[in-house]
Structures are given as structure tokens and as C-alpha cells.
Amino acid sequence: MTVRVRFAPSPTGMFHVGGARSALQNWIYAKQQGGVFVLRIEDTDAARNRPEWTEGILSALDWIGIERGSYEGPYFQSANASEHRNAATRLHNEGRAYYCDCTREAIQARTGSQYQGYDGFCRDRGLEAGLGRALRFRTPDEGETVVVDLIRGEPTFENKLIEDFVIARGDGSAVFLLANVVDDLTMGITHVIRAEEHLPNTPKQQLLWDALGVKPPIWAHVPVVVNEKRQKLSKRRDKVALEAYRDEGYLASAMRNYLMLLGWAPSGDREIVPWSVIESEFRLAEVNPSPAFFDEKKLRAFNGEYIRALPVEEFAAACQPWLTGTDTIAPPPWRPEEFDAAAFAAVAPLAQTRIALLSEIVANVDFLFLESPLIDEAAWAKSTKGDAAELLDDAIVAFEALPTWEAEPLKATLEEVGTRRGLKLGKTQAPVRVAVTGRSVGLPLFESLVVLGRDRTLTRLRAARVRLQP
């Protein structure tokens, strides 16, 4: 048997990080088994589907390494509508499904409860298809449905507690439960690896597989992804869009490493490992069924480690979208003609050790490419208290007298200026840094002054001195 797995997202919004985790798990499992990864776009919700969401799914998968051309598909669920209808008709003809015209209000009136499920009222009425009549599956009254799950063991469901559920709407179109089963059957899916939230649907879908006379696939329900309050990640409440993390400057390698740790861990006391190790060691049976905490602080730390591990040339190349802007990344504050590639290359190794997100590169280097620095007013106010004006006067005079413009002489000179005033270097360089870079933190100051150059440095120090005049 050739293993065939599928990833089946809906194009109704941004690409969820939980979906990305499931896609990677399916992808790795297929590769391990010499199988096939199938991408199916479940696009039957016409009111919410948009073409750009489909493209977003494809580009997000590209980004995490599941590239177009390396898998089967994408298929579109809407193209399989005739097979959905045929299955619904077959189930009705064989007595496994029946038409029902009950409204929610009528069911509630009969049961006396808004929480009780469908009561089987139309089971034996013999209704035919018609406007406003949904097709319901006739659930067995006795016995149990056992779901064999690679992660969760054998969850067992009493059939009598499963209501006769709708499989097709009044217009004949299949609902998710039936469409999903028919698509998996048609595409020869052997393993369904998906999120835990679908587990309650599984006994119903397994009953449909049995009714259609086909052995159901092997199930594996991976743990739900939760936030710091242990609530399921929500698009309305949490930052969940993979594209948002990409555009913020997370590396794909860091993101997919972290996603694979949501419910699973490689061998040994380690988490940051080469992708080849993950591909080799991942086992569905070792996935922890407990909810997995998506810790953005931890992801950020991961990303910083991955950034620092890059060869400096790759780091510089990875920064380019933020140095120029793209369709989804805002342009930097400088004009394109102001950018100096040589200056950036000079400070790239310094920046690489200090940023955790690629987007942070802009705030670290913008002072090099702007005529005047963007002043952080809070930093300015804090750094220019007391005798900062006189200190800047001394620094300007001392820097003007330097025979060479190099980091060590600059440092020694400013340290001497501070010593004469009874200040340590940290206090001495604070007003100089904010005058030159606009911020109180950033790249090493003296190396930055070398790249900025003598004339531009002195111009900014003089401008700061004028600003400090009463």
C-alpha cells in the first residue's frame, strides 16, 4: 500500500500556524513512508472563499518548504461536487439516509431543550427530496464506533449518543462531513493526520466510510494548539497568521523547527536541531496528545538563534526585503537612493548578533541612510540631562582633533572626555549615541561612527548641541 496523506485547508482567511504544523507533520510522514502528500483546497464555502486566500495557502506552504510541484495537487473540493451528490444519493437509496424537514425551532419545541440534539422525528416519514429538506444519516441505535488513532489509542463512542447528522443540504450540496469522506475516498487517502478539534467528527465520518463499504483511513489527531492562557488559538484573539510571522522577520527554518515541537520533541535534551534530524526522528506515535502551548517568546528566541547561525552573507541577503520593502512589508524610512550597500555590509555582522527578528534590522541601521537620525524623544530626554551640552562640546573638540577615524581611538578619546568629568564610559557615550543614531540602544557605537564617517558624525553632534541650547 502506498501511503497517501492529505492537507485540506479552507481558503477563508490567513494561514493558521496550527494548520502549518499539521501540514509539516503530514509532509514528513509521507516522506518517511515513501508516500504521497496531497493538497486539497476545501473551497465549498462560496460566501467566504477568496482567490487570494488560496494563493496565500500556496505561498505559505512554499515558505515552510512544502513547495509547489513537490506534492500532488492542489485539488479543489468544489470540483468533486458530483461525487458528493452521488454518494448522498446512494446512501439514501440504500436506506442509510433519509430526508428531514425539521427546523431547529421545531426540534426544540418537541424536546423542550435548546441543547438536545436531533430526535429522529423524520426517520420513518418517508420524505422525498425537496426544498428545505436536508438529508440525514441514519446512525445505528446500538453498538459502538471505535476510532483507532495512532496518537490517542482507541477512543470509543456509543452509537446511540450520536444523533442522525445532516450529510447534505436542502439544495443537494454535501456538508463537510460527507464531502470530506468522499474526497478522501476518491483520492485514495490512507492516513488522516489532522487537529484534535476534528476528533468529535471522526465517529460520524467512520460510520460514513463503513456505510459506503470502504475501510476508513488510519487516524491521527494531533494536539490542539493553545495560547498562554491555555485557550485554543483563535484568529479573532491571537496572532495566528503564518504570513504575519513571515513578514515580521521570522526565518522559515526557525518557524518549522518550532512548529514541529508543538506536541513532539527530538531525542536528547535539545530543541534546536537540523531539519534532517526532525525528518529522521519524528514519529506520530510519539506525539503527546496534551494541548501544545504556542509560546511566541520562545519562538522569538529560536529565531534569534537561527539568525546568529547564518553565514553573514546569507543574513545580509535575508534582510533585503526589509531594506527595500515588498508587497507585504512596509518600505524603510530612507529613500532608495540613500541606501549604501557597502555601509550595510560593514555593519551587518554587528547587527546579526543583536536582532531576533529580521524586521529589527531597520531600526538598527536607519541612522546610516538618513540625512538626520530619527530621534526617540524619550531616549533623548533621558540621555541629555545635566551637563550633556558641555559634554558634547568636549566630544566635538576631541573628535575633530583625531588624526585617524577608527573605533579604538574614538573609544579612548570619548573615555578620556568622560574621565575629566568624573563619568564612566556608559554615561559619557549616552548623549553621543542618541545624537548620532537617534536611539539609546543599537549597534556598537564606535564601530557605527566609523561607518557613518567623520563629517556626518560631527554634523550630527553639532546639530544636537544646537538643540540643547536654552
Side-chain angles (χ1 to χ4, degrees):
M1 177 185 70
T2 298
V3 167
R4 290 176 61 83
V5 303
R6 50 75 164 175
F7 178 58
S10 299
T12 56
M14 303 293 276
F15 194 58
H16 197 290
V17 290
R21 188 270 309 263
S22 295
L24 287 170
Q25 291 171 330
N26 276 278
W27 177 253
I28 291 177
Y29 188 76
K31 291 189 70 173
Q32 289 176 338
Q33 303 299 319
V36 178
F37 177 97
V38 178
L39 176 62
R40 183 173 74 230
I41 306 296
E42 299 200 333
D43 63 336
T44 52
D45 187 350
R48 297 174 62 205
N49 295 338
R50 284 159 50 182
E52 56 266 37
W53 297 137
T54 296
E55 175 56 32
I57 291 169
L58 299 178
S59 63
L61 289 175
D62 285 340
W63 184 61
I64 57 173
I66 305 177
E67 298 178 342
R68 279 172 260 209
S70 63
Y71 50 77
E72 191 175 302
Y75 297 117
F76 291 87
Q77 189 172 67
S78 57
N80 213 22
S82 61
E83 293 296 330
H84 304 158
R85 291 178 182 270
N86 290 341
T89 300
R90 174 184 164 186
L91 292 172
H92 177 253
N93 291 342
E94 294 178 357
R96 305 301 298 269
Y98 60 90
Y99 285 99
C100 171
D101 61 2
C102 294
T103 62
R104 170 49 54 188
E105 292 74 20
I107 296 171
Q108 185 174 334
R110 286 197 303 271
T111 62
S113 171
Q114 61 177 319
Y115 304 108
Q116 188 169 328
Y118 180 65
D119 57 358
F121 180 78
C122 292
R123 267 193 165 196
D124 301 313
R125 292 177 65 197
L127 299 176
E128 294 298 323
L131 187 65
R133 293 178 177 177
L135 186 64
R136 289 184 180 272
F137 183 77
R138 189 186 296 270
T139 303
D141 296 321
E142 300 177 348
E144 299 174 331
T145 296
V146 179
V147 174
V148 179
D149 192 295
L150 293 178
I151 296 172
R152 300 176 185 278
E154 298 185 359
T156 301
F157 303 83
E158 291 187 65
N159 291 334
K160 66 181 181 180
L161 300 180
I162 304 174
E163 68 177 13
D164 290 354
F165 52 92
V166 173
I167 59 175
R169 305 177 184 87
D171 62 3
S173 62
V175 301
F176 165 79
L177 289 170
L178 180 61
N180 197 262
V181 166
V182 172
D183 290 344
D184 285 346
L185 192 158
T186 303
M187 298 175 184
I189 301 303
T190 62
H191 294 68
V192 172
I193 305 166
R194 62 185 181 181
E196 177 188 357
E197 63 195 69
H198 292 292
L199 183 59
N201 294 327
T202 307
K204 299 177 181 179
Q205 292 184 309
Q206 188 157 306
L207 288 170
L208 288 173
W209 279 87
D210 292 338
L212 292 170
V214 182
K215 183 180 178 181
I218 296 171
W219 309 101
H221 288 89
V222 299
V224 65
V225 182
V226 298
N227 62 18
E228 60 185 4
K229 296 181 179 179
R230 298 311 187 262
Q231 302 167 317
K232 178 186 171 184
L233 284 187
S234 166
K235 291 182 179 180
R236 294 182 178 87
R237 180 186 57 240
D238 303 305
K239 180 181 169 184
V240 301
L242 190 69
E243 298 95 325
Y245 287 99
R246 178 189 62 196
D247 292 347
E248 195 174 346
Y250 284 87
L251 294 173
S253 52
M255 175 60 77
R256 63 181 186 174
N257 184 164
Y258 181 73
L259 289 175
M260 287 301 296
L261 299 181
L262 298 177
W264 175 82
S267 63
D269 186 20
R270 55 183 181 165
E271 292 183 310
I272 296 179
V273 295
W275 184 246
S276 59
V277 171
I278 294 176
E279 286 187 321
S280 173
E281 294 191 359
F282 176 72
R283 297 292 183 271
L284 277 174
E286 295 175 1
V287 172
N288 189 326
S290 301
F293 171 36
F294 189 91
D295 186 343
E296 191 173 344
K297 292 180 181 178
K298 185 174 181 178
L299 171 60
R300 180 186 173 91
F302 259 56
N303 202 62
E305 292 288 339
Y306 270 87
I307 285 176
R308 288 186 285 278
L310 289 173
V312 67
E313 297 80 7
E314 290 186 23
F315 168 72
C319 289
Q320 289 306 307
W322 289 269
L323 300 176
T324 60
T326 69
D327 291 341
T328 57
I329 296 173
W334 58 81
R335 297 190 304 272
E337 61 271 20
E338 293 177 310
F339 181 74
D340 184 334
F344 176 71
V347 299
L350 306 176
Q352 185 176 4
T353 63
R354 286 165 172 77
I355 67 174
L357 304 175
L358 293 176
S359 58
E360 294 171 349
I361 191 64
V362 173
N364 276 272
V365 303
D366 60 1
F367 73 96
L368 290 171
F369 312 124
L370 294 168
E371 183 175 349
S372 301
L374 299 173
I375 301 294
D376 179 332
E377 295 299 334
W380 172 270
K382 183 177 180 180
S383 300
T384 56
K385 294 178 180 178
D387 60 352
E390 291 79 5
L391 191 153
L392 286 177
D393 283 338
D394 290 350
I396 291 169
V397 171
F399 284 170
E400 286 176 331
L402 278 174
T404 62
W405 194 255
E406 297 173 351
E408 283 304 319
L410 283 165
K411 179 181 178 181
T413 297
L414 192 59
E415 196 165 19
E416 184 179 339
V417 168
T419 299
R420 291 199 300 267
R421 293 182 168 274
L423 298 174
K424 293 184 177 180
L425 181 59
K427 289 287 186 180
T428 307
Q429 70 179 15
V432 174
R433 177 183 289 279
V434 76
V436 173
T437 71
R439 297 178 175 86
S440 58
V441 294
L443 305 184
L445 176 61
F446 303 105
E447 288 82 352
S448 298
L449 298 185
V450 171
V451 177
L452 186 65
R454 182 194 298 267
D455 291 344
R456 296 178 72 194
T457 297
L458 291 172
T459 296
R460 292 183 182 190
L461 291 175
R462 294 176 187 126
R465 181 62 184 87
V466 171
R467 180 175 177 174
L468 285 174
Q469 288 179 348

